[in-house]
Amino acid sequence: MVFYRSVSLLSKLSNRAVQQPSLSNSVRWLQIQTSSDLDLRAQLKELIPEQQERLKKIKSEYGKVQLGNITVDMVLGGMRGMIGLLWEISLLDPDEGIRFRGLSIPECQKVLPAAKPGGEPLLEGLLWLLLTGKVPTTEQVNALSKELRTRAIIPDHVYKAINALPITAHSMTQFTTSVMALQVQSEFAKAYESGIHKSKYWEPTFEDSLSLIAQLPVVAAYIYRRIYKNGEVVAADESLDYGANFAHMLGFDSPAMQELMRLYVTIHTDHEGGNVSAHTGHLVASALSDPYLSFAVALNGVVGPLHGLANQEVLLWIKSVVDECGENITKDQLKDYVWKTLNSGKVVPGFGHGVLRKTDPRYMCQREFALKHLPADPLFQLVSKLYEVVPPILTELGKVKNPWPNVDAHSGVLLNYYGLTEARYYTVLFGVSRSIGICSQLNNSLVLL
Ligand SMILES: CC(C)(COP(=O)(O)OP(=O)(O)OC[C@H]1O[C@@H](n2cnc3c(N)ncnc32)[C@H](O)[C@@H]1OP(=O)(O)O)[C@@H](O)C(=O)NCCC(=O)NCCS
């Protein structure tokens, strides 16, 4: 069953500004320069006791407050529309779309540090924001970038585990296997076995989370090069930020592809807690499974075609449209193709959503990227035609609650344009990005124990 709805309960009950930064908060944080201010762990050490106190207060003051009525439809729909989870790092409004710690995607693009003025946000900045609730400075982002680079070391047995699989295994099977192989170095598992006090759980969780986030692009790129580039591995470039270095290790060095990867890994990080991967990671972690184990099961949810695999499905579907009707397909031909898909009992990939009721802002920011960088690309023009053609057809079906495009309707054509054409790999990119949200929420949840 698919679970759809969660809530940032604390932000509903308490003052949002405490946890979620306003733009003016970012200005306050720009003043900070001391060495512990640049250390994310030191920052969390200060913040966590405040958060523990805050939760205690909320429990004692609001513990008995009811949060709504539960209907049979809600239960049959998999907790649909029901407030069922605490999720502080992001909030998904059906009309407005996602907010990360209170900031919309355009606001993140505005306030998070970028590689160049007006560029896409650096992933490290969003990670800092999700973990602390504060907008970081460029210096803090650079320090985190450096720390992630030092942690991006892959034990040899991980490569052996991947290599034991046939090269034809789906990239996500190889990716999940690599995460399970990385798990043997979990600091949380070791600390638990040595009897760590529960008040300290967050420390090895934080260690594992940062290491996992740092290691994932390296193994993800290895898998890509193994499957599609004769195993010719590209070494990391120590001068690059997380997103750009990931593009580089995949084999793409153009500045535009680096910007696209920064955007891609930022917007796929988190989408509140009710979606399959975020919910699964959270659920498994609640049994005190370590971050590697929790993230590995979340990845198995990402690979479902109604969730993350939809980005693969969209590009394959778009290419099947082109194969059958050519790139200059008319709107009438496109309508016929959409009906043919529906009549064969399939969904139109990239459209619809369990929570959203308007066009996904993650779709819109990718559309803006395409309008800026590749307006004449025939596949982008086809995606634009689909934006006009599909929603009225889905509305005509009479049962689809959201006929508008989601994030997956757009990502494939952008990657394809810059040469990353292997659609069956795309879900790995989604998985790398999703580690940021899942690990941030794990750290957030353990504070509450
Ligand atoms: C995302 C998705 C799984 C949400 O499912 P949901 O919450 O059940 O959506 P709805 O409540 O609107 O579904 C009602 C009906 O409309 C159908 N529907 C929803 N989106 C559809 C689409 N894009 N194409 C065809 N039918 C669709 C559902 O399959 C369901 O049909 P059923 O009653 O015969 O089972 C669904 O919209 C979908 O399958 N989209 C395509 C895959 C996709 O893009 N996934 C990525 C999501 S980010």
Side-chain angles (χ1 to χ4, degrees), residues 80 306 310 342 347-348 350-354 399-401 406 408:
R80 194 169 304 230
L306 298 188
L342 291 169
V347 296
V348 180
F351 285 78
H353 200 270
K399 62 177 182 177
V400 181
K401 294 193 191 68
N406 60 56
D408 299 315

Side-chain angles (χ1 to χ4, degrees), residues 31 48 99 141 198 287 320 397 399:
Q31 317 300 322
I48 282 169
R99 280 184 178 271
V141 161
K198 65 192 286 190
S320 72
L397 283 182
K399 62 177 182 177

Side-chain angles (χ1 to χ4, degrees), residues 185-196:
Q185 63 185 25
S186 167
E187 292 297 328
F188 185 90
K190 281 182 219 149
Y192 192 82
E193 202 169 321
S194 340
I196 186 175

Side-chain angles (χ1 to χ4, degrees), residues 2 4 80 271 304-308 310-311 314 342 346-355 357 360 362 390 394 397 399-402 406-409 430:
V2 182
Y4 285 110
R80 194 169 304 230
H271 217 221
L306 298 188
H307 190 23
N311 62 9
V314 168
L342 291 169
K346 295 178 192 155
V347 296
V348 180
F351 285 78
H353 200 270
V355 176
R357 294 296 173 254
D360 191 339
R362 299 173 302 173
V390 175
L394 291 182
L397 283 182
K399 62 177 182 177
V400 181
K401 294 193 191 68
N402 174 30
N406 60 56
V407 64
D408 299 315
F430 191 128

Side-chain angles (χ1 to χ4, degrees), residues 8-23:
S8 181
L9 174 62
L10 299 196
S11 64
K12 279 202 184 324
L13 295 178
S14 60
N15 179 2
R16 269 170 77 126
V18 174
Q19 186 70 11
Q20 303 187 343
S22 63
L23 300 191

Side-chain angles (χ1 to χ4, degrees), residues 338-402:
V338 171
W339 276 114
K340 194 171 109 180
T341 301
L342 291 169
N343 292 335
S344 63
K346 295 178 192 155
V347 296
V348 180
F351 285 78
H353 200 270
V355 176
L356 284 169
R357 294 296 173 254
K358 296 268 171 67
T359 299
D360 191 339
R362 299 173 302 173
Y363 173 93
M364 288 312 292
C365 70
Q366 293 184 94
R367 180 171 165 76
E368 276 154 29
F369 188 97
L371 286 168
K372 191 167 157 195
H373 296 281
L374 46 133
D377 177 52
L379 290 193
F380 167 56
Q381 289 180 0
L382 182 47
V383 164
S384 298
K385 272 187 207 158
L386 285 167
Y387 193 12
E388 291 176 51
V389 164
V390 175
I393 296 178
L394 291 182
T395 304
E396 200 179 321
L397 283 182
K399 62 177 182 177
V400 181
K401 294 193 191 68
N402 174 30

